[in-house]
Each structure stands twice: as structure tokens, then as C-alpha cells.
Amino acid sequence: MAPVLPLVLPLQPRIRLAQGLWLLSWLLVLAGGLILLCSGHLLVQLRHLGTFLAPSCQFPALPQAALVAGAVALGTGLVGVGASRASLNAALYPPWRGVLGPMLVAGTAGGGGLLVIALGLALALPGSLDEALEEGLGTALAHYKDTEVPGHCQAKRLVDELQLRYHCCGRHGYKDWFGVQWVSSRYLDPSDQDVVDRIQSNVEGLYLTDGVPFSCCNPHSPRPCLQNRLSDSYAHPLFDPRQPNQNLWAQGCHEVLLEHLQDLAGTLGSMLAVTFLLQALVLLGLRYLQTALEGLGGVIDGEGETQGYLFAGGLKDMLKTAWLQGGVACRPAPEEAPPGEAPPKEDLSEA
């Protein structure tokens, strides 16, 4: 059977292949470590921002898969470093001869598969962030006032921290606060006629105002923060609602978080693609080095030329051999005659 993709490797090319693999393996170790750091950073970000994502959002699966793929890539790189270094020394290589083959199979099937899965998630999942943030932020704004309701006690603090940290206001803008009751009922005076009128004028019985929480205020504004009666031009004659960035954060939190998370996912996806390429090169190089050294008995500076290959035989020949071997194995053995009976003899006619 002819080997698949054979490559003749004299002495000097074998040495250069081993040296190049040593360098590529260290690059793979570096790429795997960077993936671990980036996926860990994204997991930490999602831990803080998970409140503002819909419960059904599958985006956290991306850093989880990337974390495992990065660990496998890191391990593959370390194996490549050790194997390529040992191949340059006839005394160090023999222990690798029995384990390098299974490691190559595991690295190709497991490591390559994990990288493909993580890369696919990096391409597919960021598109689901739009709806997840829309639902999650809407729920967070609706529970802003529920500071004494079990399960939502931290909603106000988390939303305020979000708006202050990411310089955003509301879901898509500061006017989103006009459509939700963000003031807790415990701070409303039931004897105040204005409070009663606002509650009765809303079909859901909510106290709605044209104001925003303090966390929407821009501390760099040259004027004091205006939080109430923002739609009343007579209440704040110097306030221009067409330029809220002079007083309030201009962007909504949806756009800010969407851009932030998609940037992190894009960076992680690019690193996964580079790592996949490095891992493929390392595994291919190790396979050629392994098969070439097997032809020399594990000695890289052995006499003569040797041949490296991916598979010992072509795919067609390999399948044919497996089929024939399976047919022979499944073919029933010929029946034996009982020990007490002798096989019948044919009568020979006399000449």
C-alpha cells in the first residue's frame, strides 16, 4: 500500500523539522495560554453582566468551550516541545515512541474538535446577544424599584453600577426611564395629590415621571445634573434635550454592552483561529517526524534517507484491507468431522 502524502526527509531536513517544531510548539503554548486568559476574562465579565442577559442566553458557552480548548492546546504545545526536543537526542527519544502515536490521535480528535466547536460558537453566539440584552436590561430596569423584594434586592445597585461604569443611561437612552417606575413606593407620599394623579393616570398603577436615576448623570458636565422634569422646557430653560450628553450619558446600555461583549468575542475568535492553525501545523509536523524516525529506529541522525507520511497506506487500500480482514474474521470455520468417524474413502477402480 502506498503511503498518504509521503515526504522524503534527509538528515538536515529532519533536524530543521525538529527545530521548527520546537519553536511552533512554544508558539502554540503561548496561544493556548492567551486563550485561557481571554476566556477567563470573558467569564468574569459575564459573571458581573449576567444579570442583564436573558436566562435563555447561550453566550456563556463560548468562554467555557474556549477555556477547555485553550487548556488542550496548551497541553498539545507542551507535548510538541518535549517530543521535538527528544527527537534530537537518540537517548531521549525511545520513551516517546510508544506514547507519541496515541497523543497525536488524541490531539487531533480532541484538541482539533474542541477548537472547531469553540470557533463555531465564537461565530454564531454573538448574534444572540442583541435579543438577550434587550430582554435582560428591560427586566433589570423594571425591577430597579424593588429594593425590598426577595430576588431583586440588588437590582438597583447593579443598574447604578452599570450606568456609572459603562457611561450609559437606560436601555437605549435616558428616555427609557420615563416608561418605568424606578422610584420605590415606600418613598412616595400617598397624600400628595401629584403622586395620586400620576398613579391613577397609568393603567398599570405605576408612578411614572420624566426623570432619571442619579447614575445617569455625567460628572464631567459643566452644569449641575438635571434629573427631573427633563421634558419640561419651562422647568429648565437652559437645558437642551437634543443634546443630553451635556448633562446625561448619551448612549444606552444596550449598545454599550453589545459592542463590549462582541469585541471580546471577536478577539477570542481570532485567537482561536490562530491557535487552530498552529495546532494543525504542530500535529502535522510531529506526525511526519514520528514516521520518519520510525524508519530509522528512532535515531534522527541515522544513515540514509527516510520517508515521512501521514498514513501508512491510502484510504482506499486501508478500507479494503479492513474489509477483507473483517470478512475473514466473520467467515465460519470449516466443520470438522466427529473424532470417531473416519472420512469416507472413494472406491478406486481396478486398472
Side-chain angles (χ1 to χ4, degrees), residues 282-300:
V282 169
L283 291 174
L284 284 174
L286 284 175
R287 177 58 177 168
Y288 274 106
L289 186 62
Q290 177 206 19
T291 53
L293 293 183
E294 287 300 318
L296 297 171
V299 182
I300 196 169

PDB file of all heavy atoms in Angstrom, residues 282-300:
ATOM      1  N   VAL A 282       1.603  21.913  14.140  1.00  0.00           N
ATOM      2  CA  VAL A 282       2.377  21.124  15.102  1.00  0.00           C
ATOM      3  C   VAL A 282       2.049  19.639  14.976  1.00  0.00           C
ATOM      4  O   VAL A 282       2.945  18.783  14.955  1.00  0.00           O
ATOM      5  CB  VAL A 282       2.113  21.628  16.534  1.00  0.00           C
ATOM      6  CG1 VAL A 282       2.685  20.656  17.564  1.00  0.00           C
ATOM      7  CG2 VAL A 282       2.745  23.001  16.731  1.00  0.00           C
ATOM      8  N   LEU A 283       0.769  19.303  14.872  1.00  0.00           N
ATOM      9  CA  LEU A 283       0.384  17.894  14.767  1.00  0.00           C
ATOM     10  C   LEU A 283       0.871  17.276  13.462  1.00  0.00           C
ATOM     11  O   LEU A 283       1.338  16.131  13.444  1.00  0.00           O
ATOM     12  CB  LEU A 283      -1.138  17.766  14.885  1.00  0.00           C
ATOM     13  CG  LEU A 283      -1.729  18.089  16.268  1.00  0.00           C
ATOM     14  CD1 LEU A 283      -3.246  18.076  16.218  1.00  0.00           C
ATOM     15  CD2 LEU A 283      -1.231  17.105  17.314  1.00  0.00           C
ATOM     16  N   LEU A 284       0.780  18.026  12.354  1.00  0.00           N
ATOM     17  CA  LEU A 284       1.290  17.514  11.081  1.00  0.00           C
ATOM     18  C   LEU A 284       2.804  17.298  11.142  1.00  0.00           C
ATOM     19  O   LEU A 284       3.319  16.269  10.695  1.00  0.00           O
ATOM     20  CB  LEU A 284       0.938  18.482   9.952  1.00  0.00           C
ATOM     21  CG  LEU A 284      -0.509  18.472   9.457  1.00  0.00           C
ATOM     22  CD1 LEU A 284      -0.732  19.593   8.450  1.00  0.00           C
ATOM     23  CD2 LEU A 284      -0.863  17.130   8.834  1.00  0.00           C
ATOM     24  N   GLY A 285       3.510  18.282  11.697  1.00  0.00           N
ATOM     25  CA  GLY A 285       4.958  18.153  11.801  1.00  0.00           C
ATOM     26  C   GLY A 285       5.376  16.991  12.679  1.00  0.00           C
ATOM     27  O   GLY A 285       6.314  16.248  12.355  1.00  0.00           O
ATOM     28  N   LEU A 286       4.679  16.811  13.810  1.00  0.00           N
ATOM     29  CA  LEU A 286       5.002  15.694  14.693  1.00  0.00           C
ATOM     30  C   LEU A 286       4.741  14.354  14.021  1.00  0.00           C
ATOM     31  O   LEU A 286       5.492  13.390  14.217  1.00  0.00           O
ATOM     32  CB  LEU A 286       4.184  15.796  15.983  1.00  0.00           C
ATOM     33  CG  LEU A 286       4.635  16.844  17.009  1.00  0.00           C
ATOM     34  CD1 LEU A 286       3.653  16.886  18.169  1.00  0.00           C
ATOM     35  CD2 LEU A 286       6.040  16.557  17.507  1.00  0.00           C
ATOM     36  N   ARG A 287       3.687  14.283  13.216  1.00  0.00           N
ATOM     37  CA  ARG A 287       3.394  13.022  12.524  1.00  0.00           C
ATOM     38  C   ARG A 287       4.486  12.699  11.504  1.00  0.00           C
ATOM     39  O   ARG A 287       4.944  11.541  11.432  1.00  0.00           O
ATOM     40  CB  ARG A 287       2.037  13.125  11.838  1.00  0.00           C
ATOM     41  CG  ARG A 287       1.646  11.893  11.020  1.00  0.00           C
ATOM     42  CD  ARG A 287       1.630  10.648  11.865  1.00  0.00           C
ATOM     43  NE  ARG A 287       1.180   9.485  11.095  1.00  0.00           N
ATOM     44  CZ  ARG A 287       1.266   8.235  11.498  1.00  0.00           C
ATOM     45  NH1 ARG A 287       1.805   7.953  12.690  1.00  0.00           N
ATOM     46  NH2 ARG A 287       0.839   7.241  10.743  1.00  0.00           N
ATOM     47  N   TYR A 288       4.913  13.686  10.729  1.00  0.00           N
ATOM     48  CA  TYR A 288       5.983  13.438   9.763  1.00  0.00           C
ATOM     49  C   TYR A 288       7.286  13.073  10.474  1.00  0.00           C
ATOM     50  O   TYR A 288       8.020  12.178  10.039  1.00  0.00           O
ATOM     51  CB  TYR A 288       6.188  14.666   8.879  1.00  0.00           C
ATOM     52  CG  TYR A 288       5.279  14.705   7.682  1.00  0.00           C
ATOM     53  CD1 TYR A 288       4.198  15.579   7.634  1.00  0.00           C
ATOM     54  CD2 TYR A 288       5.494  13.861   6.599  1.00  0.00           C
ATOM     55  CE1 TYR A 288       3.354  15.608   6.536  1.00  0.00           C
ATOM     56  CE2 TYR A 288       4.650  13.894   5.501  1.00  0.00           C
ATOM     57  CZ  TYR A 288       3.588  14.764   5.467  1.00  0.00           C
ATOM     58  OH  TYR A 288       2.755  14.791   4.374  1.00  0.00           O
ATOM     59  N   LEU A 289       7.570  13.768  11.580  1.00  0.00           N
ATOM     60  CA  LEU A 289       8.792  13.459  12.319  1.00  0.00           C
ATOM     61  C   LEU A 289       8.734  12.058  12.921  1.00  0.00           C
ATOM     62  O   LEU A 289       9.721  11.311  12.888  1.00  0.00           O
ATOM     63  CB  LEU A 289       8.999  14.502  13.417  1.00  0.00           C
ATOM     64  CG  LEU A 289      10.310  14.426  14.201  1.00  0.00           C
ATOM     65  CD1 LEU A 289      11.506  14.647  13.287  1.00  0.00           C
ATOM     66  CD2 LEU A 289      10.313  15.449  15.332  1.00  0.00           C
ATOM     67  N   GLN A 290       7.576  11.691  13.457  1.00  0.00           N
ATOM     68  CA  GLN A 290       7.437  10.373  14.065  1.00  0.00           C
ATOM     69  C   GLN A 290       7.630   9.267  13.033  1.00  0.00           C
ATOM     70  O   GLN A 290       8.387   8.317  13.258  1.00  0.00           O
ATOM     71  CB  GLN A 290       6.056  10.237  14.704  1.00  0.00           C
ATOM     72  CG  GLN A 290       5.795   8.869  15.314  1.00  0.00           C
ATOM     73  CD  GLN A 290       4.311   8.539  15.359  1.00  0.00           C
ATOM     74  OE1 GLN A 290       3.518   9.151  14.651  1.00  0.00           O
ATOM     75  NE2 GLN A 290       3.957   7.571  16.188  1.00  0.00           N
ATOM     76  N   THR A 291       6.939   9.363  11.878  1.00  0.00           N
ATOM     77  CA  THR A 291       7.051   8.297  10.875  1.00  0.00           C
ATOM     78  C   THR A 291       8.439   8.249  10.249  1.00  0.00           C
ATOM     79  O   THR A 291       8.928   7.167   9.897  1.00  0.00           O
ATOM     80  CB  THR A 291       5.988   8.498   9.791  1.00  0.00           C
ATOM     81  OG1 THR A 291       6.080   9.847   9.267  1.00  0.00           O
ATOM     82  CG2 THR A 291       4.597   8.288  10.353  1.00  0.00           C
ATOM     83  N   ALA A 292       9.083   9.414  10.133  1.00  0.00           N
ATOM     84  CA  ALA A 292      10.441   9.412   9.581  1.00  0.00           C
ATOM     85  C   ALA A 292      11.413   8.739  10.542  1.00  0.00           C
ATOM     86  O   ALA A 292      12.281   7.958  10.128  1.00  0.00           O
ATOM     87  CB  ALA A 292      10.884  10.846   9.293  1.00  0.00           C
ATOM     88  N   LEU A 293      11.285   9.011  11.839  1.00  0.00           N
ATOM     89  CA  LEU A 293      12.191   8.400  12.805  1.00  0.00           C
ATOM     90  C   LEU A 293      11.916   6.913  13.001  1.00  0.00           C
ATOM     91  O   LEU A 293      12.831   6.153  13.327  1.00  0.00           O
ATOM     92  CB  LEU A 293      12.076   9.125  14.146  1.00  0.00           C
ATOM     93  CG  LEU A 293      12.579  10.573  14.172  1.00  0.00           C
ATOM     94  CD1 LEU A 293      12.466  11.147  15.571  1.00  0.00           C
ATOM     95  CD2 LEU A 293      14.013  10.658  13.690  1.00  0.00           C
ATOM     96  N   GLU A 294      10.667   6.496  12.794  1.00  0.00           N
ATOM     97  CA  GLU A 294      10.377   5.068  12.906  1.00  0.00           C
ATOM     98  C   GLU A 294      11.129   4.281  11.840  1.00  0.00           C
ATOM     99  O   GLU A 294      11.547   3.148  12.062  1.00  0.00           O
ATOM    100  CB  GLU A 294       8.870   4.816  12.780  1.00  0.00           C
ATOM    101  CG  GLU A 294       8.075   5.237  13.996  1.00  0.00           C
ATOM    102  CD  GLU A 294       8.501   4.513  15.250  1.00  0.00           C
ATOM    103  OE1 GLU A 294       8.735   3.297  15.175  1.00  0.00           O
ATOM    104  OE2 GLU A 294       8.622   5.165  16.304  1.00  0.00           O
ATOM    105  N   GLY A 295      11.309   4.882  10.667  1.00  0.00           N
ATOM    106  CA  GLY A 295      12.067   4.213   9.619  1.00  0.00           C
ATOM    107  C   GLY A 295      13.545   4.116   9.923  1.00  0.00           C
ATOM    108  O   GLY A 295      14.268   3.330   9.290  1.00  0.00           O
ATOM    109  N   LEU A 296      14.028   4.907  10.885  1.00  0.00           N
ATOM    110  CA  LEU A 296      15.444   4.883  11.276  1.00  0.00           C
ATOM    111  C   LEU A 296      15.642   4.276  12.658  1.00  0.00           C
ATOM    112  O   LEU A 296      16.722   4.415  13.247  1.00  0.00           O
ATOM    113  CB  LEU A 296      16.014   6.303  11.258  1.00  0.00           C
ATOM    114  CG  LEU A 296      16.038   7.009   9.896  1.00  0.00           C
ATOM    115  CD1 LEU A 296      16.427   8.464  10.082  1.00  0.00           C
ATOM    116  CD2 LEU A 296      17.005   6.318   8.946  1.00  0.00           C
ATOM    117  N   GLY A 297      14.604   3.691  13.201  1.00  0.00           N
ATOM    118  CA  GLY A 297      14.725   3.104  14.530  1.00  0.00           C
ATOM    119  C   GLY A 297      14.781   4.128  15.637  1.00  0.00           C
ATOM    120  O   GLY A 297      15.307   3.857  16.719  1.00  0.00           O
ATOM    121  N   GLY A 298      14.245   5.326  15.409  1.00  0.00           N
ATOM    122  CA  GLY A 298      14.218   6.360  16.433  1.00  0.00           C
ATOM    123  C   GLY A 298      15.480   7.185  16.523  1.00  0.00           C
ATOM    124  O   GLY A 298      15.626   7.952  17.473  1.00  0.00           O
ATOM    125  N   VAL A 299      16.380   7.079  15.553  1.00  0.00           N
ATOM    126  CA  VAL A 299      17.634   7.842  15.573  1.00  0.00           C
ATOM    127  C   VAL A 299      17.564   8.900  14.471  1.00  0.00           C
ATOM    128  O   VAL A 299      17.479   8.561  13.286  1.00  0.00           O
ATOM    129  CB  VAL A 299      18.853   6.929  15.363  1.00  0.00           C
ATOM    130  CG1 VAL A 299      20.144   7.741  15.426  1.00  0.00           C
ATOM    131  CG2 VAL A 299      18.863   5.825  16.410  1.00  0.00           C
ATOM    132  N   ILE A 300      17.575  10.188  14.852  1.00  0.00           N
ATOM    133  CA  ILE A 300      17.387  11.235  13.862  1.00  0.00           C
ATOM    134  C   ILE A 300      18.572  11.369  12.921  1.00  0.00           C
ATOM    135  O   ILE A 300      18.419  11.760  11.762  1.00  0.00           O
ATOM    136  CB  ILE A 300      17.109  12.586  14.562  1.00  0.00           C
ATOM    137  CG1 ILE A 300      16.522  13.589  13.553  1.00  0.00           C
ATOM    138  CG2 ILE A 300      18.357  13.133  15.229  1.00  0.00           C
ATOM    139  CD1 ILE A 300      15.986  14.842  14.177  1.00  0.00           C
TER     140      ILE A 300
END
